Amino acid sequence: MDLFDSIVESEQRDVQLAPGAMLLAGFARPLEAALIEAVAAIIARAPFRHLVTPGGHRMSVAMTNCGRVGWVSDRTGYRYDTNDPDSGLPWPSMPETFADLALRAADGAGFADFRPDACLINRYEPGAKLSLHQDKDELDFNAPIVSVSLGLPATFLFGGLNRNDKTTRYRLAHGDVVVWGGSARLAYHGVMPLADGEHPLLGNQRINLTFRKTR
Ligand code: SIN
Ligand code: FE2
């Protein structure tokens, strides 16, 4: 094995972020073509859009959804909605490949029988970021969060249960999956501004799929 191989390998090891939180390196990589194709079909029906926060700020990350419900934000607050507010139509259904990947990743991190009913799809272009937050708009905190990274690498921040807890930075590369649940379910997390780059399959962007069980 040459030096290059050993560097790649050391970056691809699974890491525990906290009790209940795992980075599964490259877990989604074998499905990259199917995932990218499915995202293309979803955005043809429910295009990416920049949501506005209740405080009136336009988010730098563009979003869409698939599944029974989708996460939306507007001046009135955050919520899960069965319909796309832009088209009035139900969100595209969750592809089998998505649901199966989320189930297997959760299982790999120790959370059996994860059946998400929502998949938020985030698109980061260079400079886009997500401030430190908790995922707490769901009714069921027993189910974990499963987050799949595609395209350009990002720096993920993972902290504790209080906003001011120390955060650790992790590099999330194409195909990496992060699962957090149990005592880490309400951990603060965020994404640093995306660096410019060119990914062979997705170009100048990062796509993230976040699976949740909302009820
Ligand atoms: C999220 O917290 O909803 C997205 C996290 C990510 O893009 O990795
Ligand atoms: Fe989140």
Side-chain angles (χ1 to χ4, degrees):
M1 191 197 307
D2 65 24
L3 180 61
F4 180 73
D5 283 336
S6 64
I7 291 169
V8 169
E9 270 201 0
S10 70
E11 281 184 357
Q12 288 183 333
R13 220 169 275 150
D14 292 352
V15 184
Q16 188 179 56
L17 283 56
M22 285 289 296
L23 193 175
L24 305 174
F27 191 91
R29 214 166 165 150
L31 296 172
E32 60 185 8
L35 296 174
I36 291 169
E37 195 178 311
V39 169
I42 291 163
I43 62 175
R45 269 191 55 201
F48 284 118
R49 78 292 308 267
H50 292 271
L51 297 172
V52 174
T53 66
H57 298 287
R58 175 188 187 265
M59 297 182 76
S60 61
V61 178
M63 299 178 174
T64 186
N65 293 277
C66 66
R68 185 188 66 82
V69 290
W71 187 85
V72 289
S73 174
D74 60 23
R75 291 305 298 245
T76 69
Y78 307 123
R79 67 182 181 280
Y80 283 99
D81 204 316
T82 54
N83 290 51
D84 177 346
D86 281 6
S87 65
L89 299 171
W91 294 107
S93 58
M94 194 183 299
E96 199 60 50
T97 38
F98 281 27
D100 180 62
L101 169 63
L103 175 72
R104 288 188 300 106
D107 197 65
F111 301 98
D113 204 32
F114 178 53
R115 307 282 172 187
D117 60 347
C119 175
L120 171 66
I121 306 176
N122 294 312
R123 184 194 64 198
Y124 297 74
E125 291 178 316
K129 65 178 174 66
L130 202 57
S131 310
L132 214 57
H133 67 279
Q134 296 170 294
D135 288 9
K136 59 176 184 188
D137 299 325
E138 302 73 35
L139 297 174
D140 181 5
F141 294 149
N142 292 311
I145 302 289
V146 172
S147 166
V148 177
S149 293
L150 297 169
L152 288 179
T155 303
F156 185 60
L157 297 172
F158 197 82
L161 301 182
N162 298 300
R163 179 175 290 281
N164 295 326
D165 290 346
K166 181 179 81 70
T167 57
T168 304
R169 297 174 177 212
Y170 299 92
R171 181 176 187 274
L172 297 185
H174 177 72
D176 287 351
V177 178
V178 183
V179 180
W180 63 98
S183 59
R185 174 61 180 75
L186 291 173
Y188 275 88
H189 59 281
V191 178
M192 300 282 287
L194 193 77
D196 203 357
E198 187 68 22
H199 186 271
L201 298 178
L202 282 167
N204 199 21
Q205 59 180 341
R206 168 178 185 257
I207 304 281
N208 166 262
L209 314 175
T210 298
F211 295 93
R212 289 122 175 216
K213 182 173 185 296
T214 68
R215 63 172 187 188

